[in-house]
């Protein structure tokens, strides 16, 4: 038989909780490194839903979407950490509120 | 029944570690919890019959991306001098909870390998199918992903090179 033996809804609830934790972290934390970590958590929750859906229907497409999400996460985090270095050099702090004006 | 229990334990570990990671004040401690969270998600992938996804999650997420975070935190060199900081990082109360969580995940893997051959999913999707689909109907997505990685590489090089130049110029 195909399909997950655990209900798909439970995986969806777990992914929603992980995504919400990441979203709250993104909005509450002001340290830019923690903001990047929250973004990783949110991307990871999305990937969990893709893989669970792929396992539910017994198809490989879910894992392919996971690989694309990994690519996006890697590109995003490399540019983001480059920005962290620039912000640290320019403002001597990692507080995002220092960088909320377009003209530094 | 047993497989479901293992899955829910891994789910609890993932949720707990994520909440801990996002509520720490020290970035390195948060990273330890985040790695445990990613390992728990990888265990869930494995239990759902996606072993290739689990391997990728560990190799790329918990391996490459988290190491990037560690490098940047080391480069910023925040706070007081190195020795004192490293001694504080290595206190048992810092690493004991993540170590326990990671051991739970390891025990789950051992239990799966030893006693149960069925996974939570009725049908395991092997890496061969993933590869066939990836380079069959999804080959355009692979090209776009490679272009995205190139853009990320160029962007990170541009931002990081200016940082290194100014830093060296300021000291010398």
């Amino acid at each position: 038989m195909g399909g997950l033996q655990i209900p798909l809804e439970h995986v969806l609830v777990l992914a929603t909780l992980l995504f919400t934790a990441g979203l709250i972290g993104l909005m509450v934390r002001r340290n830019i490194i923690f903001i990047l970590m929250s973004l990783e958590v949110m991307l990871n929750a999305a990937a969990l839903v893709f893989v669970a859906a792929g396992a539910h229907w017994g198809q490989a497409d879910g894992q392919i979407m996971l690989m694309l999400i990994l690519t996006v996460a890697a590109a995003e985090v490399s540019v983001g950490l480059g920005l962290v270095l620039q912000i640290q050099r320019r403002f001597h702090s990692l507080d995002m509120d220092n960088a909320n004006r377009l003209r530094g | 029944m047993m497989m479901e229990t293992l899955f829910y334990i891994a789910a609890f570990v993932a949720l707990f570690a994520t909440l801990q990671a996002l509520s720490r004040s020290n970035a390195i401690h948060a990273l330890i919890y985040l790695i445990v969270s990613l390992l728990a998600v990888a265990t869930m992938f494995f239990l759902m019959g996606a072993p290739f996804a689990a391997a990728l999650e560990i190799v790329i997420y918990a391996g490459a991306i988290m190491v990037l975070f560690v490098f940047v935190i080391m480069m910023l060199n925040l706070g007081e001098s190195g020795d004192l900081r490293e001694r504080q990082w290595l206190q048992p109360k810092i690493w004991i909870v993540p170590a326990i969580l990671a051991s739970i995940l390891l025990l789950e893997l051992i239990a799966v390998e030893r006693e149960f051959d069925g996974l939570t999913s009725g049908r395991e999707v092997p890496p061969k199918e993933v590869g066939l689909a990836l380079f069959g109907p999804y080959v355009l997505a692979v090209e776009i992903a490679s272009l995205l990685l190139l853009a990320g590489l160029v962007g990170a090089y541009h931002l990081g090179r200016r940082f290194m130049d100014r830093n060296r110029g300021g000291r010398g």
Side-chain angles (χ1 to χ4, degrees), chain A residues 80-99:
Chain A
L81 288 174
L83 285 172
V84 169
L85 295 180
Q86 290 295 320
I87 286 175
Q88 166 72 14
R89 183 178 66 78
R90 189 164 298 191
F91 302 106
H92 302 289
S93 121
L94 290 178
D95 193 344
M96 270 310 280
D97 287 341
N98 284 328

Side-chain angles (χ1 to χ4, degrees), chain A residues 3-102:
Chain A
L4 287 173
Q5 281 160 25
I6 41 168
L8 188 61
E9 289 81 13
H10 292 188
V11 187
L12 291 179
V13 166
L14 171 69
T16 310
L17 288 176
L18 284 177
F19 191 90
T20 313
L23 186 62
I24 290 174
L26 181 75
M27 292 190 294
V28 169
R29 302 302 298 254
R30 294 267 60 88
N31 186 321
I32 185 169
I33 288 186
F34 280 93
I35 289 178
L36 284 175
M37 282 187 207
S38 308
L39 281 173
E40 294 301 310
V41 169
M42 289 161 72
L43 283 172
N44 203 29
L48 176 62
V49 175
F50 272 116
V51 173
H56 187 249
W57 280 286
Q59 298 291 321
D61 306 65
Q63 297 186 47
I64 288 167
M65 290 314 290
L66 169 86
M67 295 173 71
L68 298 181
I69 288 178
L70 279 177
T71 316
V72 171
E76 168 246 326
V77 104
S78 58
V79 173
L81 288 174
L83 285 172
V84 169
L85 295 180
Q86 290 295 320
I87 286 175
Q88 166 72 14
R89 183 178 66 78
R90 189 164 298 191
F91 302 106
H92 302 289
S93 121
L94 290 178
D95 193 344
M96 270 310 280
D97 287 341
N98 284 328
N100 62 358
R101 304 199 174 178
L102 286 179

Side-chain angles (χ1 to χ4, degrees), chain B residues 23-97:
Chain B
S23 58
R24 296 290 101 178
S25 60
N26 189 319
I28 291 285
H29 302 165
L31 271 182
I32 297 175
Y33 276 108
L34 198 55
I35 289 172
V36 172
S37 158
L38 294 174
L39 292 181
V41 172
T43 310
M44 276 189 279
F45 287 170
F46 186 71
L47 290 176
M48 285 191 293
F52 188 57
L56 277 183
E57 178 91 2
I58 290 181
V59 171
I60 299 182
Y61 249 120
I65 295 183
M66 291 302 123
V67 166
L68 264 184
F69 272 103
V70 172
F71 278 165
V72 166
I73 292 171
M74 298 287 174
M75 276 175 80
L76 295 178
N77 207 8
L78 303 169
E80 63 270 46
S81 70
D83 281 353
L84 182 61
R85 222 161 13 124
E86 285 193 4
R87 210 165 294 139
Q88 282 175 350
W89 286 347
L90 294 179
Q91 279 173 358
K93 67 171 182 176
I94 301 300
W95 55 260
I96 199 79
V97 178

Side-chain angles (χ1 to χ4, degrees), chain B residues 110-117:
Chain B
I110 292 174
V112 170
E113 289 296 326
R114 280 273 171 95
E115 297 184 22
F116 317 98
D117 36 297

